[in-house]
Amino acid sequence: MHHVRRARTADYPTLVECVQQWWGDSRTPEQARELSLLLPRLFLQHFAATSLVLEDAIGIRAFLVGFHSADDEQQAYIHFVGVDPQLRQQGIARRLYTRFFERAAAAGRTEVRAITSPQNTGSIAFHKAMGFELDPGDLESAGLPVHSDYDGPGQHRVVFRRKLGSSSADTLRPFTTRPAGPEDFDTIVGVVDDWWGRPASRDLTRVFVDHFFATSLIAERDGELAGFVIGFLSPSKPKEAYIHFTGVAPAWRRSGLGRYLYERFFEMARADGRTLVKAITSPQNARSIAFHNAMGFTNSAPITDYDGPSLHRVAFTRSL
C-alpha cells in the first residue's frame, strides 16, 4: 500500500539517490548526477513541510518538492517531482500534485507555478492535463511559448501557472462531467452488469439516485455514459461523506476517469466541511482495494457479515 506523507529533512540523501537512479533510463550517469544538483539540501531543510513523499514497504517511490512563496502570498511553487519508473502511468504524480494543490489552497494560496524545459514534452503534456496554462514567452518552439535564458544563458524554460479554487477538475478530456439526476438511474442500471461482467446492479437501488443526485456525478463521452460516482454527505455524521457506488466503462479504464470523479467528489465534500470520506467493497475485489489505496484510502481487514450473513466487506477511510 502506498502512503503519502510530508517530507523530512532526513529524506534528502534518499531523494538524491532516487533522482540518479530513476532518470538513469534516459540519461547517462553523469547527466543524472547533474540533474540531482537541481535539488540541493536546502529544499529539504527549509521546505520539507510543504513537500510530499510517497512510500511503501520498499521505501520512497515518489516525491514532490514544493514551497509557498515568501514574496508572493498568493503563489505556491512546485520545484522538483520524481516517480519510480515502475510506478509511472498509475496516477502517482497526479495524486501528489492534487495533494499539494489541496494544501496550498488551505493555506490561502490561489496559484501554483512550475517550469520545465521546452524539450520535456512529457512534462508539458502532464501539466496541461493537470489544468496548468502556459505563460506567454519571448520565443516560440514547436508551437510552445518559451522564456529565453530563464535560468541563465541558453537555459530556456516553459513556464506554467494554474489557478486554485477554480477548476482542475472542471474538464478531463475527452469527457464532460455533470451532476447526476434522478433520470440517470435507468441508464446506469442498464450498463452496470455489462461493465462488471456479473450481476452488480442489484447493489444500486433507485433511492440513491432519487435522493442523493446532487452529490453524485456523471461523466459522458459524446453523449454516452462513461463513468459515474454515487455518493452523499452523511446527515447523521456531519464530518463524513460516503461513496456508495462507482463505475467506469471498460473502454475508459486506466484513463484517469475514476480518479478524476473521486477528486471531484472530494472537492464537494471538502467544500461542505467534511473531513472524512468512507466507502466499502468486498474482500475479493482486489481491483477496488488497489484503486482506493492509490487514492489515499486506508482499508480495514475484512469485516465479517458487514452487510448481512456472509456479506463480508472491506471498509475504506480517507482524510480530506
Side-chain angles (χ1 to χ4, degrees):
M1 181 178 71
H2 299 125
H3 168 68
V4 176
R5 62 167 172 81
R6 290 185 177 184
R8 308 181 186 111
T9 302
D11 293 323
Y12 177 72
T14 303
L15 297 193
V16 170
E17 183 179 351
C18 289
V19 171
Q20 296 182 8
Q21 290 180 354
W22 296 350
W23 273 266
D25 58 351
S26 59
R27 288 172 168 80
T28 66
E30 179 60 24
Q31 289 172 332
R33 190 191 73 82
E34 288 290 327
L35 183 66
S36 70
L37 295 179
L38 297 176
L39 188 61
R41 186 180 294 270
L42 69 90
F43 281 95
L44 274 296
Q45 289 177 323
H46 298 284
F47 306 120
T50 51
S51 299
L52 299 164
V53 162
L54 179 139
E55 59 187 356
D56 60 15
I58 296 175
I60 292 177
R61 308 298 299 278
F63 66 87
L64 182 155
V65 175
F67 57 87
H68 299 167
S69 173
D71 288 337
D72 188 332
E73 294 182 354
Q74 301 303 309
Q75 287 191 14
Y77 187 86
I78 295 175
H79 174 65
F80 207 116
V81 181
V83 177
D84 187 328
Q86 295 182 356
L87 296 183
R88 290 174 187 167
Q89 305 298 319
Q90 296 184 32
I92 298 297
R94 176 180 287 272
R95 179 178 172 186
L96 291 175
Y97 269 62
T98 300
R99 185 71 63 87
F100 183 83
F101 295 161
E102 292 172 351
R103 295 173 65 190
R109 306 291 161 144
T110 60
E111 184 176 78
V112 177
R113 305 294 295 267
I115 63 170
T116 194
S117 70
Q119 296 78 29
N120 196 338
T121 55
S123 176
I124 293 168
F126 171 78
H127 283 86
K128 286 182 176 179
M130 289 299 300
F132 284 86
E133 298 179 350
L134 279 62
D135 264 5
D138 59 322
L139 293 178
E140 184 174 302
S141 175
L144 295 171
V146 175
H147 295 247
S148 62
D149 301 331
Y150 184 92
D151 272 330
Q155 301 297 313
H156 310 327
R157 298 290 183 263
V158 173
V159 177
F160 305 105
R161 69 169 67 222
R162 180 191 182 279
K163 293 294 184 183
L164 296 177
S166 57
S167 66
S168 85
D170 283 347
T171 303
L172 177 67
R173 296 176 181 174
F175 309 104
T176 58
T177 308
R178 60 174 174 81
E183 66 278 3
D184 290 309
F185 176 77
D186 292 331
T187 302
I188 293 171
V189 168
V191 300
V192 164
D193 290 350
D194 183 52
W195 287 6
W196 266 259
R198 60 178 175 80
S201 57
R202 62 192 178 191
D203 296 325
L204 179 65
T205 56
R206 188 179 293 272
V207 65
F208 285 97
V209 186
D210 275 353
H211 295 281
F212 302 115
F213 60 84
T215 51
S216 300
L217 296 162
I218 297 292
E220 296 171 314
R221 168 74 191 275
D222 297 330
E224 298 291 328
L225 183 66
F228 63 89
V229 165
I230 306 299
F232 57 87
L233 308 179
S234 174
S236 299
K237 299 180 178 180
K239 294 299 182 182
E240 293 186 11
Y242 188 87
I243 295 177
H244 174 63
F245 207 101
T246 185
V248 173
W252 300 115
R253 290 173 186 165
R254 301 187 68 82
S255 68
L257 180 58
R259 176 179 292 274
Y260 169 80
L261 290 172
Y262 267 56
E263 289 170 353
R264 288 290 304 271
F265 183 82
F266 295 161
E267 288 182 359
M268 287 191 290
R270 194 178 295 111
D272 196 66
R274 308 295 164 135
T275 58
L276 289 176
V277 178
K278 294 191 174 183
I280 62 168
T281 194
S282 70
Q284 295 79 29
N285 196 338
R287 178 180 293 175
S288 177
I289 293 171
F291 170 78
H292 282 86
N293 288 163
M295 289 299 302
F297 287 83
T298 57
N299 61 273
S300 70
I303 303 172
T304 303
D305 300 334
Y306 183 92
D307 272 331
S310 300
L311 296 176
H312 314 322
R313 297 290 184 262
V314 170
F316 300 107
T317 301
R318 183 192 190 278
S319 297
L320 293 177

